[in-house]
Amino acid sequence: MKKSTGWRNACAAWKTARLKRRLSRASGAALLAALVLAAGSALAGTQVYNPQTGEWIDYDRTKAWKYYSVHKQVPEAFRPQVVTFRTAEEPGTIIIDGNQHFLYLVMPSQQAKRYGIGVGREGFGWAGIVRVGRIAEWPTWTPPAEMVARDPKAAKFAAGMPGGPDNPLGARALYLHEGGQDTLYRIHGTPEPWSIGLNVSSGCIRMNNADVTDLASQVKVGTKVIVLMQGAALFKGI
């Protein structure tokens, strides 16, 4: 099975617990007030709904790679689709449910465009209300100093890896800011489309290149982005 390598991960592991605590503290109360969230606990790991059997099936790296190898796309649940979505947020808002690996772009009339995403692996989850501070097409990836120091593969890109199909940030990157400051988190594309639906990143939100290109074409700088707190997943099927 093809593995993700550290140097290809645009969201480096040096993102600190301090930043995550700051985001959660600053945004937790507002987040609860802004949304009517489902009761109950989050899924224990990734699951995919099988419409033929009406069951939720565990979905891990091995199954993801095998599925993509055969079908050349992710399971239907993680493909873009318009769904019913009940929220008080304004159309154009982005809501991220990392527990179920979905990103919702709120639309009028209680609907949303839903995309499959890859999210932070264990220890790299975070929550908060942020804004899109910048949108870049085929962005340059510059690994942080800590990654350059420990990874020879990353060291050769210390001055920046030009945008392109092998770039970890993929076709588009939405840079997430809080209070005008870069949080170091992004919503971005990926050269590893099989990884959508998994906990694979160091905190960033990854999407298939076609999906993030579509998303970027519909949002603008200043767009509100809500990342749900761990354990606050929306009900399945919403």
Side-chain angles (χ1 to χ4, degrees):
M1 183 182 77
K2 185 177 179 180
K3 301 285 188 180
S4 297
T5 54
W7 72 275
R8 297 188 69 186
N9 191 332
C11 309
W14 59 285
K15 294 188 174 69
T16 65
R18 177 177 177 273
L19 175 60
K20 289 182 282 187
R21 288 197 302 269
R22 180 167 61 86
L23 281 169
S24 295
R25 285 199 304 267
S27 304
L31 179 57
L32 288 172
L35 292 172
V36 178
L37 299 178
S41 62
L43 294 174
T46 305
Q47 292 186 319
V48 177
Y49 183 71
N50 184 332
Q52 281 73 45
T53 64
E55 298 177 337
W56 291 83
I57 302 169
D58 290 341
Y59 189 68
D60 56 27
R61 282 174 173 262
T62 299
K63 290 179 181 178
W65 177 246
K66 288 182 178 178
Y67 187 97
Y68 195 86
S69 297
V70 172
H71 300 282
K72 306 306 178 187
Q73 59 182 339
V74 295
E76 184 177 356
F78 298 126
R79 300 173 204 164
Q81 52 196 283
V82 175
V83 297
T84 300
F85 189 79
R86 297 186 292 273
T87 179
E89 294 297 330
E90 294 290 330
T93 303
I94 294 172
I95 299 176
I96 295 170
D97 182 352
N99 287 314
Q100 295 190 48
H101 303 84
F102 292 140
L103 179 151
Y104 297 88
L105 177 62
V106 178
M107 300 169 60
S109 303
Q110 299 297 297
Q111 290 188 312
K113 183 76 171 286
R114 190 183 78 187
Y115 303 88
I117 57 175
V119 298
R121 59 188 181 270
E122 185 177 358
F124 290 94
W126 62 284
I129 298 177
V130 292
R131 299 274 176 178
V132 175
R134 183 164 75 93
I135 302 173
E137 180 177 346
W138 292 108
T140 297
W141 173 55
T142 303
E146 291 86 348
M147 183 179 285
V148 170
R150 70 172 183 266
D151 190 339
K153 292 181 179 178
K156 66 179 181 179
F157 296 116
M161 181 181 183
D166 294 326
N167 188 295
L169 291 180
R172 302 288 187 275
L174 283 61
Y175 295 75
L176 304 181
H177 289 194
E178 184 197 28
Q181 299 296 315
D182 189 351
T183 65
L184 307 179
Y185 293 110
R186 286 85 173 92
I187 300 170
H188 64 81
T190 179
E192 299 173 333
W194 61 270
S195 67
I196 299 305
L198 300 176
N199 298 350
V200 288
S201 77
S202 295
C204 288
I205 307 302
R206 65 168 63 180
M207 305 175 67
N208 281 329
N209 282 334
D211 294 352
V212 76
T213 299
D214 181 58
L215 177 67
S217 72
Q218 300 180 71
V219 302
K220 58 186 179 181
V221 171
T223 291
K224 184 178 182 180
V225 180
I226 300 173
V227 182
L228 298 182
M229 291 179 288
Q230 197 76 10
L234 296 162
F235 277 128
K236 295 176 182 176
I238 290 182

mmCIF file of all heavy atoms in Angstrom, residues 14-15 19 22-23 130-131 133-134 174-186 204:
data_model
loop_
_atom_site.group_PDB
_atom_site.id
_atom_site.type_symbol
_atom_site.label_atom_id
_atom_site.label_comp_id
_atom_site.label_asym_id
_atom_site.label_seq_id
_atom_site.Cartn_x
_atom_site.Cartn_y
_atom_site.Cartn_z
ATOM 1 N N TRP A 14 4.580 20.342 13.459
ATOM 2 C CA TRP A 14 5.024 21.309 14.470
ATOM 3 C C TRP A 14 3.908 22.224 14.932
ATOM 4 O O TRP A 14 4.109 23.082 15.782
ATOM 5 C CB TRP A 14 6.177 22.146 13.920
ATOM 6 C CG TRP A 14 5.820 22.911 12.682
ATOM 7 C CD1 TRP A 14 5.670 22.414 11.440
ATOM 8 C CD2 TRP A 14 5.569 24.312 12.581
ATOM 9 N NE1 TRP A 14 5.342 23.400 10.568
ATOM 10 C CE2 TRP A 14 5.275 24.579 11.227
ATOM 11 C CE3 TRP A 14 5.567 25.369 13.490
ATOM 12 C CZ2 TRP A 14 4.987 25.859 10.763
ATOM 13 C CZ3 TRP A 14 5.285 26.642 13.025
ATOM 14 C CH2 TRP A 14 4.996 26.881 11.683
ATOM 15 N N LYS A 15 2.697 22.051 14.417
ATOM 16 C CA LYS A 15 1.580 22.869 14.881
ATOM 17 C C LYS A 15 1.365 22.593 16.370
ATOM 18 O O LYS A 15 1.169 21.474 16.776
ATOM 19 C CB LYS A 15 0.334 22.559 14.075
ATOM 20 C CG LYS A 15 0.482 22.968 12.630
ATOM 21 C CD LYS A 15 -0.819 22.838 11.920
ATOM 22 C CE LYS A 15 -0.689 23.390 10.516
ATOM 23 N NZ LYS A 15 0.155 22.574 9.667
ATOM 24 N N LEU A 19 -1.637 26.639 20.038
ATOM 25 C CA LEU A 19 -2.489 27.206 19.004
ATOM 26 C C LEU A 19 -3.858 26.556 19.029
ATOM 27 O O LEU A 19 -4.890 27.219 18.947
ATOM 28 C CB LEU A 19 -1.849 27.022 17.629
ATOM 29 C CG LEU A 19 -2.693 27.458 16.417
ATOM 30 C CD1 LEU A 19 -3.040 28.935 16.505
ATOM 31 C CD2 LEU A 19 -1.955 27.148 15.134
ATOM 32 N N ARG A 22 -5.860 27.777 21.931
ATOM 33 C CA ARG A 22 -6.290 29.157 21.724
ATOM 34 C C ARG A 22 -7.506 29.211 20.812
ATOM 35 O O ARG A 22 -8.471 29.918 21.072
ATOM 36 C CB ARG A 22 -5.144 29.972 21.114
ATOM 37 C CG ARG A 22 -5.506 31.424 20.854
ATOM 38 C CD ARG A 22 -4.247 32.229 20.562
ATOM 39 N NE ARG A 22 -3.565 31.745 19.385
ATOM 40 C CZ ARG A 22 -3.865 32.133 18.136
ATOM 41 N NH1 ARG A 22 -4.844 32.987 17.920
ATOM 42 N NH2 ARG A 22 -3.189 31.659 17.105
ATOM 43 N N LEU A 23 -7.483 28.426 19.749
ATOM 44 C CA LEU A 23 -8.620 28.394 18.825
ATOM 45 C C LEU A 23 -9.870 27.869 19.520
ATOM 46 O O LEU A 23 -10.954 28.426 19.377
ATOM 47 C CB LEU A 23 -8.293 27.511 17.622
ATOM 48 C CG LEU A 23 -7.411 28.147 16.543
ATOM 49 C CD1 LEU A 23 -6.954 27.070 15.574
ATOM 50 C CD2 LEU A 23 -8.137 29.256 15.818
ATOM 51 N N VAL A 130 -12.878 30.332 12.120
ATOM 52 C CA VAL A 130 -11.815 31.084 11.462
ATOM 53 C C VAL A 130 -12.367 31.691 10.175
ATOM 54 O O VAL A 130 -13.551 31.578 9.873
ATOM 55 C CB VAL A 130 -10.597 30.184 11.171
ATOM 56 C CG1 VAL A 130 -9.926 29.768 12.473
ATOM 57 C CG2 VAL A 130 -11.000 28.927 10.387
ATOM 58 N N ARG A 131 -11.508 32.347 9.416
ATOM 59 C CA ARG A 131 -11.895 32.959 8.147
ATOM 60 C C ARG A 131 -10.889 32.584 7.071
ATOM 61 O O ARG A 131 -9.722 32.324 7.355
ATOM 62 C CB ARG A 131 -11.929 34.486 8.274
ATOM 63 C CG ARG A 131 -12.916 35.020 9.308
ATOM 64 C CD ARG A 131 -14.298 35.187 8.743
ATOM 65 N NE ARG A 131 -15.261 35.618 9.764
ATOM 66 C CZ ARG A 131 -16.539 35.882 9.513
ATOM 67 N NH1 ARG A 131 -17.001 35.782 8.278
ATOM 68 N NH2 ARG A 131 -17.359 36.239 10.490
ATOM 69 N N GLY A 133 -8.351 33.623 4.753
ATOM 70 C CA GLY A 133 -7.523 34.830 4.665
ATOM 71 C C GLY A 133 -6.864 35.005 3.309
ATOM 72 O O GLY A 133 -6.492 36.119 2.925
ATOM 73 N N ARG A 134 -6.733 33.909 2.578
ATOM 74 C CA ARG A 134 -6.103 33.965 1.255
ATOM 75 C C ARG A 134 -6.468 32.711 0.486
ATOM 76 O O ARG A 134 -6.675 31.654 1.067
ATOM 77 C CB ARG A 134 -4.569 34.069 1.397
ATOM 78 C CG ARG A 134 -3.813 34.205 0.084
ATOM 79 C CD ARG A 134 -2.386 34.690 0.342
ATOM 80 N NE ARG A 134 -1.524 33.668 0.868
ATOM 81 C CZ ARG A 134 -0.740 32.872 0.106
ATOM 82 N NH1 ARG A 134 -0.769 32.974 -1.213
ATOM 83 N NH2 ARG A 134 0.059 31.990 0.672
ATOM 84 N N LEU A 174 -6.783 27.215 0.606
ATOM 85 C CA LEU A 174 -7.496 28.266 1.314
ATOM 86 C C LEU A 174 -6.808 28.417 2.667
ATOM 87 O O LEU A 174 -6.832 27.491 3.494
ATOM 88 C CB LEU A 174 -8.973 27.901 1.515
ATOM 89 C CG LEU A 174 -9.927 28.045 0.324
ATOM 90 C CD1 LEU A 174 -9.526 27.144 -0.841
ATOM 91 C CD2 LEU A 174 -11.366 27.741 0.742
ATOM 92 N N TYR A 175 -6.165 29.544 2.887
ATOM 93 C CA TYR A 175 -5.384 29.792 4.099
ATOM 94 C C TYR A 175 -6.322 30.325 5.188
ATOM 95 O O TYR A 175 -7.005 31.331 4.989
ATOM 96 C CB TYR A 175 -4.264 30.788 3.811
ATOM 97 C CG TYR A 175 -3.240 30.257 2.836
ATOM 98 C CD1 TYR A 175 -3.514 30.173 1.470
ATOM 99 C CD2 TYR A 175 -1.993 29.818 3.276
ATOM 100 C CE1 TYR A 175 -2.577 29.660 0.567
ATOM 101 C CE2 TYR A 175 -1.051 29.314 2.388
ATOM 102 C CZ TYR A 175 -1.355 29.236 1.038
ATOM 103 O OH TYR A 175 -0.432 28.729 0.153
ATOM 104 N N LEU A 176 -6.348 29.647 6.318
ATOM 105 C CA LEU A 176 -7.285 29.979 7.380
ATOM 106 C C LEU A 176 -6.661 30.927 8.397
ATOM 107 O O LEU A 176 -5.588 30.643 8.949
ATOM 108 C CB LEU A 176 -7.764 28.694 8.062
ATOM 109 C CG LEU A 176 -8.406 27.672 7.103
ATOM 110 C CD1 LEU A 176 -8.866 26.441 7.871
ATOM 111 C CD2 LEU A 176 -9.553 28.281 6.317
ATOM 112 N N HIS A 177 -7.339 32.039 8.639
ATOM 113 C CA HIS A 177 -6.845 33.079 9.546
ATOM 114 C C HIS A 177 -7.806 33.247 10.719
ATOM 115 O O HIS A 177 -9.004 32.998 10.604
ATOM 116 C CB HIS A 177 -6.725 34.410 8.818
ATOM 117 C CG HIS A 177 -5.604 34.441 7.819
ATOM 118 N ND1 HIS A 177 -5.129 35.610 7.259
ATOM 119 C CD2 HIS A 177 -4.859 33.452 7.265
ATOM 120 C CE1 HIS A 177 -4.152 35.340 6.409
ATOM 121 N NE2 HIS A 177 -3.967 34.035 6.397
ATOM 122 N N GLU A 178 -7.251 33.688 11.814
ATOM 123 C CA GLU A 178 -8.049 34.063 12.981
ATOM 124 C C GLU A 178 -7.571 35.426 13.462
ATOM 125 O O GLU A 178 -6.385 35.612 13.743
ATOM 126 C CB GLU A 178 -7.902 33.039 14.120
ATOM 127 C CG GLU A 178 -8.797 33.377 15.305
ATOM 128 C CD GLU A 178 -8.392 32.649 16.575
ATOM 129 O OE1 GLU A 178 -7.211 32.322 16.728
ATOM 130 O OE2 GLU A 178 -9.276 32.424 17.413
ATOM 131 N N GLY A 179 -8.475 36.378 13.549
ATOM 132 C CA GLY A 179 -8.100 37.722 13.967
ATOM 133 C C GLY A 179 -7.057 38.346 13.073
ATOM 134 O O GLY A 179 -6.220 39.118 13.538
ATOM 135 N N GLY A 180 -7.078 38.023 11.794
ATOM 136 C CA GLY A 180 -6.120 38.574 10.848
ATOM 137 C C GLY A 180 -4.783 37.871 10.827
ATOM 138 O O GLY A 180 -3.905 38.237 10.045
ATOM 139 N N GLN A 181 -4.618 36.851 11.663
ATOM 140 C CA GLN A 181 -3.347 36.126 11.735
ATOM 141 C C GLN A 181 -3.490 34.728 11.127
ATOM 142 O O GLN A 181 -4.506 34.057 11.307
ATOM 143 C CB GLN A 181 -2.890 35.999 13.200
ATOM 144 C CG GLN A 181 -2.656 37.331 13.886
ATOM 145 C CD GLN A 181 -1.515 38.117 13.252
ATOM 146 O OE1 GLN A 181 -0.448 37.571 12.963
ATOM 147 N NE2 GLN A 181 -1.741 39.410 13.039
ATOM 148 N N ASP A 182 -2.455 34.288 10.438
ATOM 149 C CA ASP A 182 -2.445 32.957 9.841
ATOM 150 C C ASP A 182 -2.408 31.908 10.946
ATOM 151 O O ASP A 182 -1.538 31.929 11.818
ATOM 152 C CB ASP A 182 -1.221 32.821 8.940
ATOM 153 C CG ASP A 182 -1.230 31.558 8.097
ATOM 154 O OD1 ASP A 182 -2.093 30.696 8.325
ATOM 155 O OD2 ASP A 182 -0.365 31.440 7.214
ATOM 156 N N THR A 183 -3.357 30.971 10.919
ATOM 157 C CA THR A 183 -3.380 29.907 11.929
ATOM 158 C C THR A 183 -2.433 28.755 11.590
ATOM 159 O O THR A 183 -2.246 27.855 12.403
ATOM 160 C CB THR A 183 -4.793 29.297 12.047
ATOM 161 O OG1 THR A 183 -5.122 28.641 10.814
ATOM 162 C CG2 THR A 183 -5.840 30.358 12.362
ATOM 163 N N LEU A 184 -1.870 28.758 10.364
ATOM 164 C CA LEU A 184 -1.027 27.692 9.831
ATOM 165 C C LEU A 184 -1.846 26.497 9.334
ATOM 166 O O LEU A 184 -1.281 25.519 8.846
ATOM 167 C CB LEU A 184 0.008 27.207 10.849
ATOM 168 C CG LEU A 184 0.878 28.300 11.471
ATOM 169 C CD1 LEU A 184 1.847 27.676 12.477
ATOM 170 C CD2 LEU A 184 1.638 29.073 10.408
ATOM 171 N N TYR A 185 -3.149 26.574 9.451
ATOM 172 C CA TYR A 185 -4.016 25.534 8.920
ATOM 173 C C TYR A 185 -4.549 25.953 7.551
ATOM 174 O O TYR A 185 -4.746 27.134 7.290
ATOM 175 C CB TYR A 185 -5.187 25.261 9.860
ATOM 176 C CG TYR A 185 -4.769 24.649 11.177
ATOM 177 C CD1 TYR A 185 -4.854 25.380 12.367
ATOM 178 C CD2 TYR A 185 -4.288 23.353 11.232
ATOM 179 C CE1 TYR A 185 -4.474 24.826 13.575
ATOM 180 C CE2 TYR A 185 -3.906 22.780 12.443
ATOM 181 C CZ TYR A 185 -4.000 23.524 13.607
ATOM 182 O OH TYR A 185 -3.615 22.978 14.806
ATOM 183 N N ARG A 186 -4.790 24.960 6.685
ATOM 184 C CA ARG A 186 -5.297 25.225 5.347
ATOM 185 C C ARG A 186 -6.378 24.199 4.975
ATOM 186 O O ARG A 186 -6.407 23.092 5.492
ATOM 187 C CB ARG A 186 -4.190 25.098 4.286
ATOM 188 C CG ARG A 186 -3.167 26.241 4.250
ATOM 189 C CD ARG A 186 -2.055 26.066 5.227
ATOM 190 N NE ARG A 186 -0.989 27.047 5.109
ATOM 191 C CZ ARG A 186 -0.914 28.180 5.775
ATOM 192 N NH1 ARG A 186 -1.927 28.563 6.554
ATOM 193 N NH2 ARG A 186 0.139 28.974 5.670
ATOM 194 N N CYS A 204 -4.471 20.008 8.849
ATOM 195 C CA CYS A 204 -5.104 20.661 7.715
ATOM 196 C C CYS A 204 -6.241 19.811 7.170
ATOM 197 O O CYS A 204 -6.354 18.631 7.452
ATOM 198 C CB CYS A 204 -4.082 20.945 6.621
ATOM 199 S SG CYS A 204 -2.936 22.281 7.033
#
